Amino acid sequence: MILEVAILDVKPNMTVEFETAFKTASAIISSMPGYISHELQRCIETTNRYILLVRWHSLEDHTVGFRQSPDYQKWRSLLHHFYDPFPTVEHYEVIL
């Protein structure tokens, strides 16, 4: 299993719209081959910051299967305009 981690800084005063759009986008990502689960959490100290955690069976399920799919364009159009700056995405694997 691979854990995708993204820190999402949403433009101020757009958090309600972002959360609504993310609910729609959740149906897209959860339908992808290799998807296991995801969660979105909001930061307590910085209320326009979120962390997105997505579990995939393999790195390629995310980087190829999802990111190169037509559905990724829908995801992108729903969410990418909310971010400033654009998030860095990293992938982690279980060690212990």
Side-chain angles (χ1 to χ4, degrees), residues 63-89:
T63 59
V64 179
F66 178 52
R67 284 215 177 148
Q68 294 182 16
S69 73
D71 286 332
Y72 179 73
Q73 298 310 313
K74 296 174 194 170
W75 169 275
R76 189 178 138 176
S77 69
L78 281 168
L79 299 176
H80 285 197
H81 63 282
F82 289 109
Y83 306 138
D84 186 27
F86 194 76
T88 299
V89 177

Side-chain angles (χ1 to χ4, degrees), residues 16-61:
V16 172
E17 295 91 340
F18 168 72
E19 291 178 18
T20 299
F22 194 87
K23 287 176 186 170
T24 301
S26 288
I28 296 170
I29 198 167
S30 63
S31 71
M32 292 289 103
Y35 164 89
I36 298 171
S37 67
H38 74 280
E39 58 187 271
L40 180 69
Q41 297 185 22
R42 183 176 42 235
C43 181
I44 294 169
E45 294 81 11
T46 307
T47 57
N48 67 313
R49 178 170 294 155
Y50 298 79
I51 187 168
L52 173 61
L53 305 171
V54 186
R55 289 166 186 83
W56 299 96
H57 285 289
S58 71
L59 179 63
E60 293 74 22
D61 287 330

